[in-house]
Amino acid sequence: MQRIEHIYINGEFVTPHGQEWFDLHNPSTEEVIGQVRLGDAHDAQRAIAAAQAAFPAWSRTTREERVAALRRMHRAVAARKDALMEAILMEYGAPSVRGHWMATYPADVIAQAIDALESFVFEEKTGAATVIQTPVGVAGLITPWNSNAGFICNKLATALAAGCTAVIKPSEMSAMQTQIVAEALHEADLPPGVFNIVNGRGDVVGEEIARNPGIAKISFTGSSAVGQHLVTTGAATMKRVTLELGGKSPTLVLDDADFTAVMPLVLQAGFMNSGQACIAGTRILVPRSRLAEFEQVAKEAVSHIRSGDPRQADTDIGPMVSKKQWERVQNYIRIGQEEGATLLAGGEGRPEGLHAGWFVKPTLFTRANNQMRIAREEIFGPVLTIIPYEDEADAIAIANDTRYGLSALVLGTDPERCARVARQIDAGRVLVNTLVNEPRAPFGGFKHSGLGREMGRWGMSAYLEPKTLLVSAG
Ligand code: NAD
């Protein structure tokens, strides 16, 4: 049983003022596998003070100095890939293919921030003025449990690249990953106070970050409800806010699609990260004229999807992260049936043969409509909803009839038609016949899916204020 007692402030691992111990579970077995001591508002204040003290010097470092620091971070995080993989398996339950990606992504994303920093234009002329991109100050970085190490590294590397210092409030449920990242960052030997990490509850440590005038900017990934709360609370001290929130992303299957050929993409998009992915394609829009054919292909394909022990190589879907999350998903499976949608695969309860662990059957609803709760609300589990549409215009209207707008997938055989449809979808990212990622492109959402963008030069700009300098010629 691992006990994580320290938080990281001003270049040191320190004992928090907070007294509460929080249990960490293995979601595959439900066993308690560790405990983390949580910081409190006092700890958050100390961390913010340390980041404020470090800001003047860090904000004046050169691009080359920051690149060198990020390279050290990259090396130290990359060296801990195996430890991260084990922590991700233990405390999150990601199946091995996903887990491998999640264990390498933290280092990859630091490399991407280095890339963005190397080509970033910090100063440019416009007319008679010089515009200087200036770091905003101390950034408060708040992460969720569904890719904690990756989100810490992405937000921190970008903030530091821009010249900001940071206080990180990681997900309290992912303390093992946080500990590994903290040890790596300590080894990277950055100046004290440049980054600080305070484990703690959202409504305690997160709340202090949202309220404290020493924080200039918040970058948050998590639920839309908490995101909205951060905007409201942060307004009192005029914080800059970047939010990456939830989604109910459409997978739009056009009527010329080859269903057998596209089905692996449909299911991968929906079940990625065991369904606990903000970008998951959870609404599958299918032409009504070919609905029965689609259902047949989908049912057959889902019968080969394995939900179970994440350590087994052929597992596609691991457990839900917590009991609460498992119950939430079960509740939505009941709601879908009560609403009158047809259960095509899966359903309530654990997959056959599993008696412990927060496992969910891969579940497909069909013959749903877009007004049902299972079509409107983010479930965050392996539960997908097939919604029939009449024609292309109807499909686009359904795709856009949502409070969210994070991602979308368009599948069809005519590339021009796919591109035409893709351009009409209101989402931060629209993919056509692919699930590839382009880390140089901005990532974020329309509507309730977020505010602002991360990644590439767009992500860097979110930590900077343009300052216009005009000097008398005379
Ligand atoms: P959550 O909003 O409950 O928690 C996220 C973080 O916010 C945690 O660290 C939590 O402790 C903290 N928090 C909670 N209350 C707070 C408060 N009052 N003030 C400040 N911080 C507070 O979300 P979660 O359950 O950890 O993650 C799942 C959600 O995250 C889903 O809605 C998902 O769609 C979203 N998400 C979005 C993206 C994206 O990039 N758009 C990526 C992953 C997850």
Side-chain angles (χ1 to χ4, degrees):
M1 173 124 131
Q2 189 176 353
R3 275 169 74 87
I4 298 169
E5 176 144 27
H6 297 119
I7 55 178
Y8 192 84
I9 297 181
N10 207 29
E12 288 178 329
F13 286 96
V14 296
T15 304
H17 176 264
Q19 304 279 336
E20 182 186 354
W21 285 89
F22 180 86
D23 285 343
L24 303 169
H25 291 90
N26 179 340
S28 303
T29 61
E30 304 179 30
E31 284 162 355
V32 175
I33 49 168
Q35 284 192 314
V36 54
R37 180 165 167 172
L38 301 181
D40 60 13
H42 178 80
D43 294 309
Q45 287 157 9
R46 278 174 65 204
I48 294 166
Q52 281 181 293
F55 177 71
W58 183 257
S59 65
R60 286 195 292 267
T61 48
T62 62
R63 187 196 307 263
E64 290 67 31
E65 286 167 329
R66 300 211 283 271
V67 166
L70 289 172
R71 290 222 168 100
R72 295 198 301 276
M73 274 170 63
H74 177 262
R75 265 197 303 278
V77 172
R80 285 166 174 80
K81 180 177 75 87
D82 294 343
L84 271 174
M85 174 82 189
E86 187 56 25
I88 288 163
L89 259 168
M90 284 279 281
E91 72 181 352
Y92 180 65
S96 52
V97 175
R98 179 77 191 180
H100 178 76
W101 180 85
M102 288 171 100
T104 49
Y105 181 72
D108 291 350
V109 87
I110 296 171
Q112 288 152 14
I114 294 170
D115 233 34
L117 172 57
E118 281 178 326
S119 58
F120 195 81
V121 179
F122 282 98
E123 255 187 64
E124 62 187 299
K125 281 284 207 186
T126 177
T130 303
V131 179
I132 306 165
Q133 297 290 346
T134 313
V136 290
V138 178
L141 312 176
I142 305 178
T143 67
W145 42 259
N146 68 342
S147 188
N148 182 56
F151 287 122
I152 292 176
C153 289
N154 183 23
K155 290 181 193 298
L156 180 63
T158 313
L160 295 181
C164 292
T165 56
V167 174
I168 301 160
K169 205 304 277 173
S171 170
E172 57 275 34
M173 295 161 71
S174 316
M176 291 180 176
Q177 291 171 61
T178 299
Q179 181 67 18
I180 293 164
V181 172
E183 283 165 11
L185 296 176
H186 178 67
E187 188 184 289
D189 200 23
L190 302 178
V194 158
F195 76 94
N196 305 272
I197 304 179
V198 184
N199 289 315
R201 291 195 182 269
D203 57 0
V204 178
V205 173
E207 201 65 37
E208 182 60 32
I209 287 173
R211 203 200 49 76
N212 195 297
I215 297 279
K217 185 216 162 58
I218 290 182
S219 177
F220 169 81
T221 298
S223 61
S224 294
V226 174
Q228 271 178 320
H229 173 70
L230 290 174
V231 173
T232 313
T233 310
T237 47
M238 211 51 110
K239 292 195 195 331
R240 278 62 185 143
V241 180
T242 301
L243 304 177
E244 301 294 352
L245 308 176
K248 195 74 196 175
S249 298
T251 292
L252 207 162
V253 185
L254 292 174
D255 59 11
D256 63 358
D258 173 343
F259 293 166
T260 308
V262 301
M263 196 54 70
L265 283 182
V266 172
L267 298 184
Q268 257 174 276
F271 292 142
M272 71 168 71
N273 205 11
S274 308
Q276 300 174 122
C278 53
I279 54 173
T282 48
R283 288 186 301 145
I284 305 168
L285 313 188
V286 175
R288 193 182 294 280
S289 56
R290 296 182 63 197
L291 181 61
E293 179 193 346
F294 187 88
E295 287 172 343
Q296 201 183 9
V297 178
K299 189 171 178 157
E300 153 65 16
V302 171
S303 71
H304 300 289
I305 301 277
R306 271 183 58 90
S307 169
D309 182 356
R311 286 184 192 273
Q312 283 189 9
D314 61 346
T315 294
D316 305 290
I317 298 176
M320 302 297 92
V321 73
S322 64
K323 183 162 190 271
K324 187 171 152 212
Q325 189 65 19
W326 187 83
E327 283 168 352
R328 175 189 159 88
V329 175
Q330 297 298 317
N331 190 38
Y332 273 107
I333 297 174
R334 276 189 294 279
I335 289 171
Q337 294 171 86
E338 285 159 16
E339 286 180 313
T342 305
L343 202 52
L344 185 68
E348 285 175 74
R350 289 192 182 82
E352 221 170 292
L354 292 174
H355 306 294
W358 296 311
F359 296 100
V360 173
K361 294 179 194 164
T363 296
L364 266 184
F365 281 107
T366 185
R367 298 174 193 250
N369 68 58
N370 200 44
Q371 301 314 312
M372 292 177 175
R373 286 182 64 191
I374 55 164
R376 302 204 82 76
E377 298 173 17
E378 187 182 49
I379 298 172
F380 231 52
V383 180
L384 313 181
T385 303
I386 299 171
I387 303 168
Y389 68 80
E390 306 306 329
D391 55 24
E392 193 178 292
D394 188 37
I396 294 165
I398 295 172
N400 289 335
D401 177 13
T402 170
R403 68 203 281 259
Y404 294 112
L406 190 57
S407 185
L409 173 62
V410 177
L411 300 169
T413 47
D414 174 357
E416 271 175 38
R417 182 180 177 211
C418 289
R420 192 181 69 228
V421 169
R423 283 171 185 276
Q424 295 175 73
I425 295 179
D426 305 329
R429 187 167 82 165
V430 187
L431 304 171
V432 175
N433 292 326
T434 181
L435 290 178
V436 292
N437 183 33
E438 174 46 76
R440 287 181 194 84
F443 179 77
F446 285 28
K447 302 188 269 185
H448 286 242
S449 287
L451 269 185
R453 295 290 181 270
E454 293 193 289
M455 308 307 292
R457 63 184 157 90
W458 293 270
M460 283 271 290
S461 300
Y463 291 88
L464 296 160
E465 289 282 10
K467 182 194 295 183
T468 294
L469 189 68
L470 274 165
V471 179
S472 158

